[in-house]
Each structure stands twice: as structure tokens, then as C-alpha cells.
Amino acid sequence: MTTPTAAVVGQLARDLVLSVDDLPGPGSSADATDRREQLGGKGANQAVGLAQLGVRPTLVAVAGDDAIGDVLLDQAKRDGIDVSAVVRRSGVLTGLIVEVLSGTEYRYIEHLPLLTVADVEERADTIRQQDAVVVQLQQPADVCAAAARIGHEAGRLVVLDGATSDDALLARADVVRADDKEAELLLGVPPEDMRDAARKLLEKGPRLIAVAVDDGNLFVWADGDVHVPLTDDKVVDTTGGGDAFVAALTASLLRGDPYPEAARRATAASGATVGHAGGRPDLSGTAARG
């Protein structure tokens, strides 16, 4: 069987995680009890997860022409990610994400160079050659629209990560995933009404809606739905849970798993990732892989 492939259109960054006993208030400081620096950003995290689950990912993102960009791209290559479609932006610093973590509470600061429509269009041939196109909606709307259009017109599996009210974008999506905050923006209703609202959203084009609810994840498709409770994994840091979820859901669908099985694997991947600090997934050997 051939190895499935996916283009991940998103962000790449140096991810710096500082653990502290207590988050400092205004005008104060705190000593870090632990420090992690790693390849991060939503795009890179999802690409890492896909590679760990047996998918060959191509990352479409922006890095600066600095030494940090060199280091991160070298790490991505070691992680099994094709970085040939990463834009090296002259005169731009590679993205930086700083997370200050205390218990399960955190503060998050990021500085990220973003893709342009021209970047995506120049990589259209690469994108349309993949089996799936995963698009993080935390990017300029025209960039997301361009990536989804290319994938849709090529007949690829198009996965949107985030909330949108753009009917044209929804019409080009096969899967839409939203976290608990995004879910209410996407569906416009409280959690108890999301099943009916998600089914209505399917009329706009997607085949599968996956949203986080209070006690788990809700998956809705044309002739069925399933609620998968959260795992019993200890929660240390929720930062990368959604990225692992998207990676596992995409990998499972590319394998041809039925929706209930894909739902189980995606929820397991999220649970396996929130048990450690930082957003980098570690999905090899987990229930997400099978």
C-alpha cells in the first residue's frame, strides 16, 4: 500500500515553553522551573503528528532567512517532513511562540510571519499532488481560501482547522474541526444544541464536522454522529491537543477508517498530547496510530 501524503498549510515557529510555579503579575517576574525549546507552530505540529502516524507531510509555511530558520527546518527534516515548500522570507525573523505555563494555566505570546496568496499559488502544483490538504484558519482569509480551492479542485481531502462563516470556503471543505471556543463561533449555538447545528452546516458542503464540547468531542456526518468522551490522560498543557487531533483525524481518514474509528483515534491523539508541556505531539505507539 502506498504511503498517504498531506500538504499542511500553516505556521512554523521556534516554540519556547517556560514553566513557573506562579504566573507573574504586571511589573513582576518569576523564575522558570523548566524550559523547552522545540520546533512548533500549528502547521509544524500537525506535520510532525502526521509523520508519526505514517503520513508523508509537506509543510507550506514561512521561515525567515535566519539561523533559527535553518535549525528548525533541519529538525523538521529529521521528523520526516518535506520542507521544500517552506518559504524562506528574506529579511524576516523566523516565528517565535513563547508560552509561560503554571499548572494548566498559561500565557501565550507569538510573533509569526504569515503566508501570502502568492506563496500558496506558487506552490499549487505541490499542494494538488498530495492526498490531503490541511488548512489552519488562523491565517489570512484569502490564504485559506486559496489553499482550500487548490485542494478541492484537485479532488483532495480538504481539512479546515478552525471556525469560518465563509460559505465558499465551507463548500470546498470535506472536514471542519473546531475547538471549544471556535465551535460556538462556527455553529452559533451553545454546546447542547451543536448536534443539530452541525448537521445543518453539512448542507453547505462539508462531509464531517468535528467540534469540542464540554465533556468530549462531537462528530457529525450525513447519516450519523458520535460523541467520544475525553480520555483519562492527565492534563498538563492543552496547547497541542488540537493539532494532534487534526493530525490523527486526517491520517485515519486517509487510511479509509470509518468515521467512528477516526473519531476515536483523533480523541486519543489529543489525550496523548495534553499530558506534557508544549505543543509537540508524540503519537508513535499510541492508540491514535492503531
Side-chain angles (χ1 to χ4, degrees):
M1 187 173 72
T2 59
T3 301
T5 61
V8 182
V9 183
Q11 302 99 4
L12 171 151
R14 174 188 177 198
D15 187 13
L16 172 60
V17 183
L18 301 173
S19 297
V20 298
D21 291 330
D22 296 294
L23 292 173
S28 62
S29 63
D31 291 327
T33 58
D34 186 52
R35 168 177 166 175
R36 295 180 180 223
E37 294 191 51
Q38 56 204 1
L39 171 66
K42 290 188 70 64
N45 286 341
Q46 292 178 9
V48 168
L50 284 163
Q52 292 171 348
L53 295 172
V55 177
R56 189 164 63 246
T58 294
L59 182 60
V60 182
V62 179
D65 60 353
D66 49 11
I68 293 298
D70 295 338
V71 170
L72 294 181
L73 292 180
D74 284 344
Q75 179 60 61
K77 291 176 187 176
R78 292 195 296 273
D79 285 326
I81 300 169
D82 181 348
V83 298
S84 62
V86 172
V87 181
R88 298 302 301 267
R89 189 87 77 215
S90 178
V92 170
L93 293 172
T94 296
L96 173 64
I97 298 172
V98 179
E99 179 187 2
V100 183
L101 178 67
S102 176
T104 58
E105 188 179 359
Y106 59 87
R107 300 288 186 272
Y108 205 63
I109 302 171
E110 61 184 29
H111 180 266
L112 298 170
L114 298 176
L115 290 162
T116 66
V117 172
D119 294 331
V120 172
E121 294 287 0
E122 288 168 7
R123 288 153 181 82
D125 286 344
T126 296
I127 293 170
R128 62 171 60 98
Q129 289 169 8
Q130 313 307 311
D131 297 315
V133 181
V134 183
V135 184
Q136 284 94 57
L137 299 187
Q138 301 80 4
Q139 301 182 93
D142 55 355
V143 169
C144 299
R149 175 183 53 76
I150 292 167
H152 177 73
E153 290 177 351
R156 305 313 182 195
L157 176 73
V158 176
V159 179
L160 303 183
D161 176 21
T164 181
S165 58
D166 184 340
D167 286 353
L169 184 57
L170 289 168
R172 290 172 173 145
D174 296 290
V175 180
V176 182
R177 176 265 170 188
D179 65 22
D180 52 350
K181 296 182 179 65
E182 295 163 342
E184 292 200 32
L185 293 173
L186 177 68
L187 300 175
V189 297
E192 61 268 21
D193 297 325
M194 285 185 178
R195 181 176 278 99
D196 290 340
R199 196 166 301 285
K200 187 172 182 60
L201 190 65
L202 293 174
E203 298 172 4
K204 296 188 176 183
R207 294 187 287 122
L208 177 66
I209 306 294
V211 293
V213 292
D214 293 337
D215 55 349
N217 292 289
L218 175 66
F219 300 77
V220 179
W221 58 96
D223 55 357
D225 59 73
V226 65
H227 173 269
V228 181
L230 298 177
T231 66
D232 294 330
D233 297 273
K234 179 183 177 181
V235 177
V236 174
D237 183 2
T238 60
T239 302
D243 295 334
F245 182 103
V246 170
L249 182 61
T250 302
S252 190
L253 293 175
L254 286 174
R255 283 197 299 264
D257 292 339
Y259 289 148
E261 179 66 11
R264 183 188 67 80
R265 293 187 189 279
T267 302
S270 181
T273 302
V274 299
H276 61 257
R280 180 183 172 87
D282 184 6
L283 303 179
S284 303
T286 66
R289 187 176 177 91

